[in-house]
Amino acid sequence: VEGVIASPPVFTVNTTRLLISAEGLNAGGKRIKTTGLVQLSSVGRLEGFMTGDRVRFVARLKEPANFGNPGEYDFGGRLNMRGVFVTGFLKDRRFLVKVKDGGYSPLYDAGLRRFTEQIRERVRVFIEKNSGNAEVLKSLIIAEQGGIEAGLRDAFVKTGTAHILSISGMHVGVVALFFYNLFLFAFKRSERLLLALNAKKTAAVMALPFVVAYGMLAGFPAPAQRAVVMAVVFVIALAFDRGRDFYNTLALSALLILVIAPYSV
């Protein structure tokens, strides 16, 4: 199969998952054009692959299916909602090769995503080299929870603090509050700025790019999407003196997210 990597690799404790926009198959000596997404899984960590890279791989493809147990997680349905109707398993790392580094693809311009992934990779490497709690820090900073061992995750669950591992409102709120207070502190050092600007509103607006950048660094998982969109909507409402409409802020954020990705519900 040949195609383009459509989203950042997902790492877990023992596996790597790649989402690939397939463009062609080589079967029986014939080239067959195709479209659609393939979720490719592999044992171990696949390094050096990013959004937009063109790759070729050899794998047995099949439709995602559930085991049929009562009340089980709908694995197949979840993938189908994301537009994935085919999965594959990579038996050997040698069966996957990069044909070309990423750039523009028919799916989207991957330049911004590749830049973000490069920053994420640098942060990931820095954490792994300098921390004894690398997996927890990666979860808090770049939203990679796959490496957290079951025992440690259970400890967070038992203490009622598991929500800390998922980047959401608290994390985004801390970032927003930090930069808001930083800019407000700077404004208060200048009498001229205080007279010329509404210091609180301006500080809130100036904090937004850093909130969005943090969401991009985290890869925008659904809870982070919600929190970032709510922060943006709240600041806009604040700028128009409607900052107390909390329920409308939440409802508008939900509407925007579900229009973009209905499966986020």
Side-chain angles (χ1 to χ4, degrees), residues 16-18 38-42 57-64 84 86-91:
T16 302
R17 292 198 306 272
L18 295 175
V38 178
Q39 179 170 286
L40 183 67
S41 300
S42 173
F57 64 92
V58 177
R60 185 183 298 276
L61 303 180
K62 62 179 182 179
E63 294 183 31
V84 180
V86 180
T87 63
F89 181 76
L90 199 66
K91 292 184 177 181

mmCIF file of all heavy atoms in Angstrom, residues 16-18 38-42 57-64 84 86-91:
data_model
loop_
_atom_site.group_PDB
_atom_site.id
_atom_site.type_symbol
_atom_site.label_atom_id
_atom_site.label_comp_id
_atom_site.label_asym_id
_atom_site.label_seq_id
_atom_site.Cartn_x
_atom_site.Cartn_y
_atom_site.Cartn_z
ATOM 1 N N THR A 16 2.648 1.348 18.197
ATOM 2 C CA THR A 16 2.525 2.629 17.494
ATOM 3 C C THR A 16 1.390 2.504 16.491
ATOM 4 O O THR A 16 1.252 1.465 15.838
ATOM 5 C CB THR A 16 3.815 2.987 16.737
ATOM 6 O OG1 THR A 16 4.906 3.049 17.656
ATOM 7 C CG2 THR A 16 3.679 4.348 16.048
ATOM 8 N N ARG A 17 0.563 3.548 16.372
ATOM 9 C CA ARG A 17 -0.518 3.551 15.395
ATOM 10 C C ARG A 17 -0.322 4.712 14.428
ATOM 11 O O ARG A 17 -0.054 5.842 14.847
ATOM 12 C CB ARG A 17 -1.888 3.678 16.064
ATOM 13 C CG ARG A 17 -2.299 2.472 16.874
ATOM 14 C CD ARG A 17 -3.801 2.460 17.129
ATOM 15 N NE ARG A 17 -4.262 3.688 17.736
ATOM 16 C CZ ARG A 17 -4.295 3.913 19.043
ATOM 17 N NH1 ARG A 17 -3.873 2.980 19.880
ATOM 18 N NH2 ARG A 17 -4.750 5.056 19.520
ATOM 19 N N LEU A 18 -0.461 4.423 13.145
ATOM 20 C CA LEU A 18 -0.378 5.431 12.093
ATOM 21 C C LEU A 18 -1.688 5.462 11.329
ATOM 22 O O LEU A 18 -2.254 4.407 11.021
ATOM 23 C CB LEU A 18 0.765 5.118 11.118
ATOM 24 C CG LEU A 18 2.202 5.164 11.644
ATOM 25 C CD1 LEU A 18 3.163 4.710 10.552
ATOM 26 C CD2 LEU A 18 2.567 6.559 12.122
ATOM 27 N N VAL A 38 -6.402 4.145 6.322
ATOM 28 C CA VAL A 38 -5.984 2.868 6.898
ATOM 29 C C VAL A 38 -5.341 3.140 8.251
ATOM 30 O O VAL A 38 -4.433 3.967 8.351
ATOM 31 C CB VAL A 38 -4.960 2.143 5.997
ATOM 32 C CG1 VAL A 38 -4.519 0.841 6.644
ATOM 33 C CG2 VAL A 38 -5.547 1.887 4.615
ATOM 34 N N GLN A 39 -5.815 2.470 9.299
ATOM 35 C CA GLN A 39 -5.143 2.547 10.594
ATOM 36 C C GLN A 39 -4.150 1.391 10.679
ATOM 37 O O GLN A 39 -4.541 0.230 10.738
ATOM 38 C CB GLN A 39 -6.135 2.473 11.757
ATOM 39 C CG GLN A 39 -5.433 2.526 13.120
ATOM 40 C CD GLN A 39 -6.388 2.698 14.268
ATOM 41 O OE1 GLN A 39 -6.934 3.766 14.501
ATOM 42 N NE2 GLN A 39 -6.607 1.630 15.025
ATOM 43 N N LEU A 40 -2.866 1.740 10.690
ATOM 44 C CA LEU A 40 -1.800 0.738 10.690
ATOM 45 C C LEU A 40 -1.182 0.674 12.084
ATOM 46 O O LEU A 40 -0.743 1.691 12.629
ATOM 47 C CB LEU A 40 -0.740 1.118 9.660
ATOM 48 C CG LEU A 40 0.425 0.144 9.479
ATOM 49 C CD1 LEU A 40 -0.066 -1.166 8.884
ATOM 50 C CD2 LEU A 40 1.502 0.766 8.581
ATOM 51 N N SER A 41 -1.137 -0.517 12.657
ATOM 52 C CA SER A 41 -0.569 -0.721 13.992
ATOM 53 C C SER A 41 0.724 -1.522 13.891
ATOM 54 O O SER A 41 0.881 -2.357 12.991
ATOM 55 C CB SER A 41 -1.558 -1.476 14.892
ATOM 56 O OG SER A 41 -2.766 -0.752 15.021
ATOM 57 N N SER A 42 1.642 -1.253 14.821
ATOM 58 C CA SER A 42 2.921 -1.953 14.838
ATOM 59 C C SER A 42 3.387 -2.148 16.267
ATOM 60 O O SER A 42 3.158 -1.292 17.128
ATOM 61 C CB SER A 42 3.972 -1.155 14.054
ATOM 62 O OG SER A 42 5.252 -1.731 14.193
ATOM 63 N N PHE A 57 3.936 0.373 2.596
ATOM 64 C CA PHE A 57 4.008 -0.692 3.600
ATOM 65 C C PHE A 57 3.358 -1.960 3.064
ATOM 66 O O PHE A 57 2.555 -1.929 2.123
ATOM 67 C CB PHE A 57 3.340 -0.266 4.911
ATOM 68 C CG PHE A 57 1.864 -0.016 4.822
ATOM 69 C CD1 PHE A 57 0.946 -1.032 5.075
ATOM 70 C CD2 PHE A 57 1.377 1.247 4.502
ATOM 71 C CE1 PHE A 57 -0.419 -0.805 5.012
ATOM 72 C CE2 PHE A 57 0.019 1.484 4.433
ATOM 73 C CZ PHE A 57 -0.883 0.459 4.689
ATOM 74 N N VAL A 58 3.754 -3.071 3.653
ATOM 75 C CA VAL A 58 3.183 -4.376 3.335
ATOM 76 C C VAL A 58 2.458 -4.885 4.572
ATOM 77 O O VAL A 58 3.061 -5.010 5.641
ATOM 78 C CB VAL A 58 4.276 -5.384 2.917
ATOM 79 C CG1 VAL A 58 3.653 -6.752 2.652
ATOM 80 C CG2 VAL A 58 5.021 -4.887 1.687
ATOM 81 N N ALA A 59 1.173 -5.145 4.446
ATOM 82 C CA ALA A 59 0.386 -5.624 5.586
ATOM 83 C C ALA A 59 -0.881 -6.295 5.076
ATOM 84 O O ALA A 59 -1.332 -6.036 3.959
ATOM 85 C CB ALA A 59 0.028 -4.469 6.520
ATOM 86 N N ARG A 60 -1.447 -7.144 5.907
ATOM 87 C CA ARG A 60 -2.738 -7.748 5.586
ATOM 88 C C ARG A 60 -3.826 -6.801 6.085
ATOM 89 O O ARG A 60 -3.883 -6.466 7.274
ATOM 90 C CB ARG A 60 -2.877 -9.110 6.277
ATOM 91 C CG ARG A 60 -4.158 -9.857 5.875
ATOM 92 C CD ARG A 60 -4.264 -11.169 6.644
ATOM 93 N NE ARG A 60 -3.155 -12.058 6.335
ATOM 94 C CZ ARG A 60 -3.121 -12.867 5.278
ATOM 95 N NH1 ARG A 60 -4.148 -12.889 4.435
ATOM 96 N NH2 ARG A 60 -2.102 -13.649 5.070
ATOM 97 N N LEU A 61 -4.692 -6.351 5.185
ATOM 98 C CA LEU A 61 -5.740 -5.396 5.534
ATOM 99 C C LEU A 61 -7.055 -6.113 5.815
ATOM 100 O O LEU A 61 -7.363 -7.127 5.190
ATOM 101 C CB LEU A 61 -5.939 -4.386 4.397
ATOM 102 C CG LEU A 61 -4.707 -3.584 3.972
ATOM 103 C CD1 LEU A 61 -5.067 -2.627 2.848
ATOM 104 C CD2 LEU A 61 -4.106 -2.831 5.148
ATOM 105 N N LYS A 62 -7.825 -5.561 6.735
ATOM 106 C CA LYS A 62 -9.129 -6.135 7.054
ATOM 107 C C LYS A 62 -10.041 -5.042 7.610
ATOM 108 O O LYS A 62 -9.576 -3.971 8.024
ATOM 109 C CB LYS A 62 -8.987 -7.262 8.078
ATOM 110 C CG LYS A 62 -8.425 -6.811 9.422
ATOM 111 C CD LYS A 62 -8.333 -7.980 10.396
ATOM 112 C CE LYS A 62 -7.812 -7.513 11.756
ATOM 113 N NZ LYS A 62 -7.735 -8.638 12.722
ATOM 114 N N GLU A 63 -11.331 -5.332 7.620
ATOM 115 C CA GLU A 63 -12.282 -4.393 8.206
ATOM 116 C C GLU A 63 -12.213 -4.490 9.730
ATOM 117 O O GLU A 63 -12.112 -5.586 10.281
ATOM 118 C CB GLU A 63 -13.699 -4.719 7.740
ATOM 119 C CG GLU A 63 -13.926 -4.524 6.253
ATOM 120 C CD GLU A 63 -15.363 -4.800 5.863
ATOM 121 O OE1 GLU A 63 -16.251 -4.562 6.696
ATOM 122 O OE2 GLU A 63 -15.584 -5.266 4.736
ATOM 123 N N PRO A 64 -12.268 -3.340 10.433
ATOM 124 C CA PRO A 64 -12.256 -3.385 11.906
ATOM 125 C C PRO A 64 -13.521 -4.056 12.418
ATOM 126 O O PRO A 64 -14.622 -3.805 11.918
ATOM 127 C CB PRO A 64 -12.196 -1.913 12.312
ATOM 128 C CG PRO A 64 -12.736 -1.163 11.139
ATOM 129 C CD PRO A 64 -12.355 -1.953 9.924
ATOM 130 N N VAL A 84 -12.475 5.624 9.081
ATOM 131 C CA VAL A 84 -11.534 4.507 8.931
ATOM 132 C C VAL A 84 -12.320 3.211 8.801
ATOM 133 O O VAL A 84 -13.022 2.811 9.723
ATOM 134 C CB VAL A 84 -10.572 4.416 10.141
ATOM 135 C CG1 VAL A 84 -9.612 3.245 9.966
ATOM 136 C CG2 VAL A 84 -9.807 5.716 10.314
ATOM 137 N N VAL A 86 -10.684 0.384 7.263
ATOM 138 C CA VAL A 86 -9.693 -0.666 7.041
ATOM 139 C C VAL A 86 -8.566 -0.521 8.053
ATOM 140 O O VAL A 86 -8.110 0.596 8.318
ATOM 141 C CB VAL A 86 -9.104 -0.591 5.608
ATOM 142 C CG1 VAL A 86 -8.070 -1.690 5.401
ATOM 143 C CG2 VAL A 86 -10.195 -0.711 4.566
ATOM 144 N N THR A 87 -8.127 -1.642 8.631
ATOM 145 C CA THR A 87 -6.980 -1.641 9.536
ATOM 146 C C THR A 87 -5.932 -2.629 9.036
ATOM 147 O O THR A 87 -6.238 -3.526 8.249
ATOM 148 C CB THR A 87 -7.389 -2.018 10.976
ATOM 149 O OG1 THR A 87 -7.910 -3.356 10.978
ATOM 150 C CG2 THR A 87 -8.426 -1.050 11.522
ATOM 151 N N GLY A 88 -4.713 -2.444 9.503
ATOM 152 C CA GLY A 88 -3.641 -3.358 9.133
ATOM 153 C C GLY A 88 -2.651 -3.480 10.275
ATOM 154 O O GLY A 88 -2.553 -2.592 11.127
ATOM 155 N N PHE A 89 -1.931 -4.598 10.281
ATOM 156 C CA PHE A 89 -0.910 -4.820 11.322
ATOM 157 C C PHE A 89 0.432 -5.028 10.647
ATOM 158 O O PHE A 89 0.567 -5.819 9.714
ATOM 159 C CB PHE A 89 -1.259 -6.035 12.182
ATOM 160 C CG PHE A 89 -0.260 -6.293 13.271
ATOM 161 C CD1 PHE A 89 -0.228 -5.505 14.411
ATOM 162 C CD2 PHE A 89 0.678 -7.319 13.142
ATOM 163 C CE1 PHE A 89 0.704 -5.726 15.405
ATOM 164 C CE2 PHE A 89 1.610 -7.553 14.142
ATOM 165 C CZ PHE A 89 1.625 -6.754 15.273
ATOM 166 N N LEU A 90 1.435 -4.306 11.131
ATOM 167 C CA LEU A 90 2.777 -4.373 10.568
ATOM 168 C C LEU A 90 3.573 -5.422 11.334
ATOM 169 O O LEU A 90 3.896 -5.242 12.503
ATOM 170 C CB LEU A 90 3.443 -2.997 10.688
ATOM 171 C CG LEU A 90 4.654 -2.722 9.787
ATOM 172 C CD1 LEU A 90 4.229 -2.693 8.330
ATOM 173 C CD2 LEU A 90 5.290 -1.391 10.180
ATOM 174 N N LYS A 91 3.894 -6.536 10.680
ATOM 175 C CA LYS A 91 4.603 -7.616 11.355
ATOM 176 C C LYS A 91 6.066 -7.280 11.618
ATOM 177 O O LYS A 91 6.648 -7.748 12.595
ATOM 178 C CB LYS A 91 4.524 -8.899 10.521
ATOM 179 C CG LYS A 91 3.131 -9.493 10.435
ATOM 180 C CD LYS A 91 3.159 -10.816 9.684
ATOM 181 C CE LYS A 91 1.788 -11.459 9.664
ATOM 182 N NZ LYS A 91 1.790 -12.759 8.960
#
